[in-house]
Amino acid sequence: MLRRMKTLTLQDGTAFPAFGLGTWKPQGDDVYRAVRAALACGYRHVDCAAIYGNEDVIGRALTDAFAAGDVQRDDVWITSKLWNTEHAPERVRPAIEKTLRELRLDRLDLYLVHWPVPLRPGILRPEKPEDFVDPAEQTLDSTWAAMIPLRDAGLTRQIGVSNFSPAKLERVSEATGVAPAVNQVEMHPYLAQHELLAAASAMGTVLTAYSPLGTPDSGEMFGRTDPFKLLDDEVVAGVGATHDASPAQVLIAWALQRGTAVIPKSTNEGRIRENLAAAELELTTDDMTALAALDRGFRYIDGGFWCPEGSPHTTASLWDE
Ligand code: A2P
């Protein structure tokens, strides 16, 4: 029997389920079955995004799960994200309304600004300077300001951001007086993000760790050859061996133990269960020390795809590093 699902407390006291299912990439039956299997075995948080192109299928899976009595709407946390082409304030509300239609929900639990990178409507992958909206003209502050009324109108319970550096978090908070409830970022032992974690917690912003397993399935898509593979790391495997746990379970437990949320993705029913069971794993102080030594500031998703020649962004300006 699982212990009660671990939750994190957001700034207004809301309980945020710390463990969820990621849904980036799988489509059609794969994502349908993954969401149904996850909800049936005890997941209570599903992380979605408009750009993943699968919200309509996830909407069907949610509707069917509610009808089958696997879970009730109020017992599952649903996150989605505003895509880069929708940053203009007048496009923000129509964007969440489209997501709500596709997910077949009347409100989200959390809506995030997906990337601090405004793009021209219709652009999928920017290749030239004209594909970008000038970030000095279309500011993050005005996009963030347009998120606030969505919460006030009850279209989402919470609002937040994703891929924001400490400086960008502070900037939108100071501009509007509203700190993002959540910042969802890449985070794992190779990218421990100590500075961001400290800055976010000082502002009352909770972090969600994406790509917690080192996103082994996105390398090909981005033409990336990863020099380090988290799931093959000997230290991670060694920690797992002492607990009879898999490397993936160690990585998930690490994120939970640092007080962050974590959203590993899988379309395999056995691994969906295996990942949930990681919430039961308690790492020792020695384990956490061994894992802390792996930090090398290494990003699998470095945002280089936002930085073609002539882009207003560089990876340094993106992460403010
Ligand atoms: P699969 O869907 O076949 O399980 P991340 O969450 O870091 O993006 O990683 C997702 C990738 O990790 C997917 O390719 C997924 O494959 C794989 N994965 C998910 N859970 C596990 C696990 N417990 N052990 C090994 N690989 C896993």
Side-chain angles (χ1 to χ4, degrees):
M1 181 67 185
L2 284 170
R3 280 181 313 207
R4 215 163 62 83
M5 183 67 73
K6 186 178 173 194
T7 58
L8 299 165
T9 305
L10 301 181
Q11 356 167 296
D12 68 351
T14 298
F16 174 42
F19 177 84
L21 179 75
T23 64
W24 175 33
K25 295 185 287 306
Q27 303 287 324
D29 281 353
D30 284 345
V31 75
Y32 178 89
R33 280 197 294 264
V35 171
R36 290 296 307 269
L39 293 175
C41 77
Y43 282 57
R44 292 296 175 260
H45 171 173
V46 181
D47 183 82
C48 312
I51 194 62
Y52 300 163
N54 54 13
E55 289 193 319
D56 54 337
V57 182
I58 294 175
R60 193 157 48 80
L62 293 172
T63 305
D64 291 351
F66 300 150
D70 293 346
V71 66
Q72 294 185 1
R73 169 65 188 101
D74 285 345
D75 294 332
V76 59
W77 183 280
I78 311 288
T79 298
S80 184
K81 312 186 190 83
L82 176 81
W83 187 236
N84 300 8
T85 50
E86 315 304 313
H87 277 209
E90 68 278 11
R91 298 180 73 89
V92 170
R93 184 167 178 145
I96 193 174
E97 286 172 341
K98 179 161 189 272
T99 273
L100 287 169
R101 273 196 306 279
E102 296 207 341
L103 290 172
R104 307 177 194 198
L105 301 174
D106 49 22
R107 64 152 177 81
L108 293 175
D109 296 284
L110 175 64
Y111 196 50
L112 307 176
V113 178
H114 203 148
W115 281 92
V117 176
L119 293 178
R120 297 258 170 241
I123 299 299
L124 257 184
R125 186 98 177 238
E127 290 168 356
K128 48 189 188 310
E130 306 80 75
D131 293 344
F132 293 88
V133 177
D134 181 352
E137 255 170 51
Q138 178 50 72
T139 64
L140 291 178
D141 305 351
S142 64
T143 302
W144 179 242
M147 297 282 282
I148 298 165
L150 305 181
R151 184 189 61 186
D152 298 342
L155 298 173
T156 181
R157 287 167 70 197
Q158 303 286 333
I159 50 174
V161 296
S162 181
N163 296 299
F164 270 44
S165 65
K168 290 186 177 70
L169 264 187
E170 274 156 28
R171 179 184 144 175
V172 295
S173 305
E174 277 168 21
T176 58
V178 177
V182 171
N183 183 19
Q184 184 181 124
V185 293
E186 179 181 345
M187 196 158 41
H188 42 67
Y190 292 163
L191 183 67
Q193 305 252 40
H194 295 294
E195 192 200 334
L196 178 61
L197 191 54
S201 69
M203 295 171 55
T205 298
V206 166
L207 296 185
T208 296
Y210 76 65
S211 297
L213 311 181
T215 189
D217 54 345
S218 71
E220 208 177 302
M221 173 192 289
F222 291 116
R224 207 181 62 219
T225 35
D226 297 331
F228 318 106
K229 293 197 192 313
L230 259 177
L231 286 169
D232 296 342
D233 190 285
E234 285 178 10
V235 173
V236 175
V239 168
T242 64
H243 295 278
D244 202 15
S246 69
Q249 289 179 318
V250 171
L251 295 167
I252 294 163
W254 174 87
L256 293 172
Q257 223 148 305
R258 293 176 85 225
T260 71
V262 62
I263 47 168
K265 73 183 83 70
S266 178
T267 53
N268 172 283
E269 193 167 343
R271 289 190 284 277
I272 285 172
R273 289 176 178 277
E274 176 187 325
N275 294 348
L276 176 67
E280 300 293 293
L281 173 60
E282 284 195 31
L283 300 176
T284 64
T285 308
D286 285 351
D287 296 335
M288 292 304 278
T289 305
L291 294 167
L294 298 179
D295 189 18
R296 58 199 71 173
F298 176 74
R299 293 180 191 278
Y300 290 98
I301 309 293
D302 70 358
F305 38 80
W306 305 133
C307 312
E309 211 180 321
S311 165
H313 307 278
T314 62
T315 51
S317 69
L318 203 53
W319 307 117
D320 296 301
E321 280 170 352

